[in-house]
Amino acid sequence: MPDYTPPHDDPNALEPPSKSELKRRMTALQNLGEALTALSDKQLQKVPIEDVRLLEAIHEAQRISSNSARRRHLQFIGKLMRDIDAEPIAAALSAMDQEQHRHAAHFKGLEQLRDRLLSEGPDTIGDVVERWPATDRQHLRNLLLQAQREQKRGQAPAAARKLFRYLRELSSAAGEGAAAEAGDDDAS
């Protein structure tokens, strides 16, 4: 007969996690691994992954295109992540996500400023100069008038894009927000 001792009524005794709790933890690690596979190599270098096998598994998962093979490989990545401390990885991903949100909010703010300039006209140039004293008033005014002319004619918004780029340059020169990366396109 197996040795079985019933649980004690001691409230301070630590119980092992339930099977459901263990499964939730494993799924969370697998989801964290899936988030790692979505990162570019440049972003992946910013994440503190010390396990070489995990890093190789992540790179391999990025190359897999078959859904079922990818699912199995993500389970393997989750298994590898059980052996390491996942907190620094989760913290790094969270920091990257927050930076991306800050960058998007800054980008959206510049778009709104550009749209306000286009709708209200040259009278709002003073607001831009007040925000960024190094603004070349004449250049900004020329870009704004050219963009408004294009808008009236129904042409492609090339000047509006130039206006946005100029506002982004002013912002990055002043050290505001995250400077837009070279690969970003303007949303018009």
Side-chain angles (χ1 to χ4, degrees):
M1 195 167 199
D3 292 329
Y4 174 73
T5 54
H8 299 289
D9 292 334
D10 182 16
N12 294 331
L14 294 176
E15 293 183 23
S18 68
K19 192 172 182 180
S20 298
E21 177 60 28
L22 287 174
K23 189 169 182 177
R24 278 191 292 273
R25 288 180 191 172
M26 301 309 157
T27 304
L29 288 174
Q30 187 175 336
N31 290 341
L32 187 61
E34 187 172 5
L36 289 172
T37 63
L39 297 178
S40 68
D41 287 337
K42 183 178 177 182
Q43 292 170 323
L44 204 51
Q45 289 175 352
K46 296 177 183 178
V47 180
I49 301 174
E50 297 171 3
D51 188 0
V52 177
R53 293 182 316 146
L54 177 61
L55 201 54
E56 289 172 357
I58 291 169
H59 286 297
E60 190 173 333
Q62 291 172 336
R63 291 187 297 266
I64 296 175
S65 60
S66 170
N67 284 337
S68 57
R70 182 170 172 75
R71 181 185 51 80
R72 283 190 304 272
H73 204 74
L74 289 174
Q75 288 174 342
F76 175 66
I77 289 173
K79 180 182 175 185
L80 290 176
M81 291 191 68
R82 291 181 218 159
D83 299 333
I84 65 168
D85 183 19
E87 285 301 316
I89 294 172
L93 285 176
S94 176
M96 290 170 74
D97 191 42
Q98 288 175 357
E99 180 62 31
Q100 186 177 9
H101 285 320
R102 276 194 300 273
H103 177 72
H106 180 69
F107 191 85
K108 187 173 182 176
L110 290 175
E111 285 179 329
Q112 289 172 346
L113 178 60
R114 179 208 44 209
D115 293 342
R116 195 174 118 226
L117 280 167
L118 289 172
S119 65
E120 296 178 17
D123 298 336
T124 55
I125 290 177
D127 295 342
V128 175
V129 172
E130 185 178 315
R131 184 171 174 182
W132 299 300
T135 303
D136 180 358
R137 246 180 208 276
Q138 190 61 40
H139 181 60
L140 180 62
R141 186 173 187 283
N142 287 339
L143 287 174
L144 178 59
L145 293 175
Q146 186 179 6
Q148 286 178 328
R149 277 193 300 268
E150 284 179 352
Q151 212 173 29
K152 286 179 186 173
R153 293 179 187 156
Q155 295 176 329
R161 288 187 188 108
K162 286 180 186 176
L163 177 62
F164 179 82
R165 281 189 209 110
Y166 184 63
L167 293 173
R168 189 173 60 187
E169 288 171 14
L170 290 172
S171 174
S172 63
E176 282 185 13
E181 295 177 17
D184 287 343
D185 280 320
D186 310 317
S188 298

